[in-house]
Amino acid sequence: MINIDEIWNNTLDELSKLMQVVSFEVWVQKLEPVCVYQNKLVLCSPTKTAKKTVETRYSDVISEVLTAVNPQLEGVVFITDDQKDDYIKLQDSVLDGAGFIVKDPTPAGPVANPFLEKYTFDTFVQGKSNAYAFAAAKSVAANPGGAYNPLFIYSGVGLGKTHLLHAIGNYMVKSSKLRILYVNSETMINDIISNMTNKPSNQESNAFREKYRNCDVLMVDDIQFLSGKTATQEAFFFIFNDLYQQNKQIILTSDKAPKDIPTLEERLKTRFASGLTVDIQIPDLETRVAILRSKAAQQEFNLSDEVAFFIAENSTTNVREMEGLLNKIIFFSSLTNHTIDTQTLAQEALQDSLNDKKEVIDATDIVNTVAQYYKVSVQDLFGPKRLKQIVEPRMIAIYLINELLSMPLAAIGSMFGNRDHTTIMHARDKISDDIRTNTKIKIVVADIKNMLLKR
Ligand code: ADP
Ligand code: MG
């Protein structure tokens, strides 16, 4: 078993003797060992710029020292924070015995805890947008195989599905002796395919059976990738039924509700939706700020309110991207030894990222997207018409502007042809009630939010 923290620390010791103090401290010491992928040590850089610099200037020396200290490794790969999850998934061999590379080997159990330490219920910030998903995840963690089986969590990208799965896992590892299998759907698809190719007679190999049927809890992340894979779906259907009948807890995540996953067999859609299905919505401004504060605290960074609001207002509503902006601020602060605590400094630090792509969602984007979705004109949404086919999208636009941008009602009123703030309030409340009681409106709002995310 390889302990990558130890490997990296030994490498750092050697590097510190070879390199200039400043370069070492600024560029190398801040790298974080993530995992081993194809015999290379994966090192995470705090930002894209830092990654580029280490890659061009220091990759050779790091590689040389690393392989000298640890001949079983062949080199290094540099990644940024947003690729971390992918690499961790790729080194998925933690659970199937092959390769077996873990960050923190637990001496007691035969299987190391594959769940990221930082993704727990405690570090998950609750808000209106994720309250149901959070409650459901907690309930399943405490009572697996109980009332909510399967638990199906869906949302747009970067809104916390994987975080919740790891939180459930971390909780169960601590509180029970359950055998938990956590796989992303790509790994599972590969396992199923290689099992089929090796055993044409439809029989499962022992290793496959051991892995998929001998678990008490099965978690499959991003199950939407089963879409279109008929043979895999068929195999998964049997695994699912087998576990389900034994009251084994199944937890699935996806970017869509079961019924909306294209080319997924009807019987699987029905199975997936037969327990509890919960979604995570885009967090509102307040929750976004709370998430930033929590992430900053985890890194012991003193985040000023001004900067927290600046990031929350200027990033898309995707939490992962928002975190990227925060990390950039933290990195710049440490690089310059100046705390970035004002909007002006933050703006400077984030200039590139904010220019790269329009990260801001503003009221115009929302109105345009709603108009596009309903195939009505923007003028009509702002205008006086009271036709049903205009009133509904207008109210949804108002609701979304208020929710996502926390824009004051009076300001929204003047934007919508000088409507009174009570009219705006009525529209907002009507839609927020409808979302709870009317499935159609709920889906419409979720679709529009997804369109906004994917702009
Ligand atoms: P998904 O799997 O839905 O694409 P992730 O679970 O990978 O999203 O989340 C992306 C990042 O955002 C992670 O770093 C996660 O910790 C963070 N995140 C998302 N929602 C929250 C939340 N409510 N509280 C704290 N962190 C969150
Ligand atoms: Mg995910």
Side-chain angles (χ1 to χ4, degrees), residues 39 44 66 72 85 92 135 140 163 165 193 195 223 414 441:
N39 289 333
C44 181
L66 174 84
Q72 74 270 46
D85 287 0
D92 208 70
V140 162
H163 187 138
L165 276 188
I193 291 173
N195 181 59
I223 193 90
S414 56
I441 294 291

Side-chain angles (χ1 to χ4, degrees), residues 45-332:
S45 250
T47 65
K48 287 207 171 73
T49 328
K51 176 186 158 225
K52 235 191 225 152
T53 310
V54 276
E55 229 164 19
T56 45
R57 292 197 213 154
Y58 305 114
S59 146
D60 286 349
V61 59
I62 297 176
S63 208
E64 225 169 277
V65 172
L66 174 84
T67 50
V69 179
N70 309 278
Q72 74 270 46
L73 292 177
E74 289 165 12
V76 283
V77 184
F78 296 102
I79 61 163
T80 45
D81 220 63
D82 52 350
Q83 297 167 292
K84 238 167 148 176
D85 287 0
D86 293 337
Y87 274 87
I88 287 164
K89 283 173 194 160
L90 286 171
Q91 60 109 33
D92 208 70
S93 46
V94 173
L95 278 161
D96 57 23
F100 222 91
I101 293 154
V102 293
K103 211 168 148 55
D104 299 301
T106 38
V111 171
N113 179 359
F115 300 107
L116 292 180
E117 219 175 279
K118 62 177 182 177
Y119 290 166
T120 61
F121 288 126
D122 287 341
T123 57
F124 193 84
V125 175
Q126 285 182 74
K128 249 191 346 200
S129 56
N130 57 38
Y132 286 122
F134 183 77
K138 271 198 129 165
S139 162
V140 162
N143 187 13
Y148 305 139
N149 202 14
L151 173 63
F152 192 100
I153 306 174
Y154 71 97
S155 80
V157 289
L159 295 182
K161 299 181 292 291
T162 300
H163 187 138
L164 279 181
L165 276 188
H166 281 253
I168 297 173
N170 278 317
Y171 183 98
M172 287 176 167
V173 166
K174 272 212 192 101
S175 64
S176 73
K177 295 237 174 308
L178 295 173
R179 287 161 303 179
I180 310 166
L181 175 58
Y182 168 88
V183 282
N184 68 331
S185 67
E186 276 142 324
T187 307
M188 188 178 76
I189 292 165
N190 287 338
D191 283 346
I192 290 178
I193 291 173
S194 64
N195 181 59
M196 284 189 297
T197 22
N198 295 339
K199 298 263 172 180
S201 58
N202 251 348
Q203 250 189 359
E204 287 173 0
S205 73
N206 285 338
F208 183 86
R209 172 161 277 279
E210 177 74 19
K211 180 170 176 180
Y212 285 92
R213 309 255 182 182
N214 262 348
C215 60
D216 303 310
V217 179
L218 173 65
M219 299 182 179
V220 187
D221 206 358
D222 290 320
I223 193 90
Q224 74 271 10
F225 292 122
L226 283 192
S227 165
K229 309 211 165 50
T230 322
T232 311
Q233 286 181 24
E234 164 109 16
F236 184 63
F237 180 75
F238 289 110
I239 297 172
F240 183 104
N241 283 343
D242 187 28
L243 294 175
Y244 181 81
Q245 274 157 18
Q246 302 173 61
N247 280 334
K248 306 287 168 103
Q249 180 70 46
I250 299 162
I251 310 168
L252 309 169
T253 74
S254 161
D255 68 347
K256 292 182 197 65
K259 64 172 179 30
D260 297 327
I261 302 176
T263 57
L264 181 69
E265 277 183 45
E266 229 18 81
R267 57 180 183 170
L268 274 179
K269 289 187 185 181
T270 317
R271 288 288 190 289
F272 289 176
S274 65
L276 177 65
T277 304
V278 286
D279 66 338
I280 306 176
Q281 301 270 334
I282 295 176
D284 55 21
L285 184 68
E286 219 171 278
T287 312
R288 296 209 296 276
V289 169
I291 293 174
L292 283 168
R293 287 199 177 116
S294 149
K295 300 280 175 195
Q298 278 167 49
Q299 302 191 53
E300 292 174 5
F301 179 77
N302 208 340
L303 180 69
S304 72
D305 283 356
E306 197 174 322
V307 172
F309 274 91
F310 177 76
I311 299 175
E313 279 164 358
N314 284 282
S315 66
T316 61
T317 32
N318 174 337
V319 178
R320 188 177 295 136
E321 278 183 29
M322 194 172 74
E323 238 185 301
L325 295 181
L326 172 69
N327 286 339
K328 198 157 189 181
I329 297 270
I330 296 177
F331 177 67
F332 268 72

